[in-house]
């Protein structure tokens, strides 16, 4: 994927993960992009470990994988902060 697609995917999945995890505070665009991109790596690793295909395009599967990874990342961050 291109850089623009990674930024859009990161922003979208970071925003969705923030809402799903109950983080209704207003986070910035840069925060959502970082959470989403790191979440995509985490989600890709987890889904690859489980035998699913990797993220190779901007589609619903890649958004789902990155949102799951971003939720895992936010859960870990929440546990560390406590």
């Amino acid at each position: 994927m291109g850089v623009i697609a990674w930024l859009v995917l990161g922003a979208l999945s970071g925003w969705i993960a923030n809402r799903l995890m109950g983080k209704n505070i207003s986070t910035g665009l840069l925060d959502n992009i970082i959470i989403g991109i790191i979440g995509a790596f985490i989600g890709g690793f987890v889904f690859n470990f489980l035998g699913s295909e990797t993220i190779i395009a901007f589609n619903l599967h890649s958004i789902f994988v990155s949102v799951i990874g971003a939720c895992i990342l936010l859960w870990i961050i929440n546990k560390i902060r406590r």
Side-chain angles (χ1 to χ4, degrees):
M1 277 196 278
V3 174
I4 301 295
W6 272 104
L7 294 175
V8 171
L9 177 68
L12 181 63
S13 61
W15 181 78
I16 292 171
N18 273 327
R19 298 304 177 250
L20 288 175
M21 296 300 290
K23 304 288 185 193
N24 290 329
I25 58 172
S26 178
T27 56
L29 180 63
L30 185 61
D31 293 337
N32 286 335
I33 291 172
I34 292 169
I35 290 169
I37 291 175
I38 294 172
F41 282 111
I42 293 171
F45 177 75
V46 169
F47 275 73
N48 193 23
F49 181 74
L50 296 175
S52 180
E53 61 188 51
T54 58
I55 299 174
I56 55 172
F58 188 80
N59 54 25
L60 287 177
H61 177 71
S62 63
I63 293 172
F64 177 73
V65 169
S66 62
V67 167
I68 296 299
C71 286
I72 293 170
L73 175 65
L74 289 174
W75 180 78
I76 291 170
I77 290 171
N78 190 22
K79 291 298 179 184
I80 290 172
R81 285 187 179 172
R82 287 186 183 189

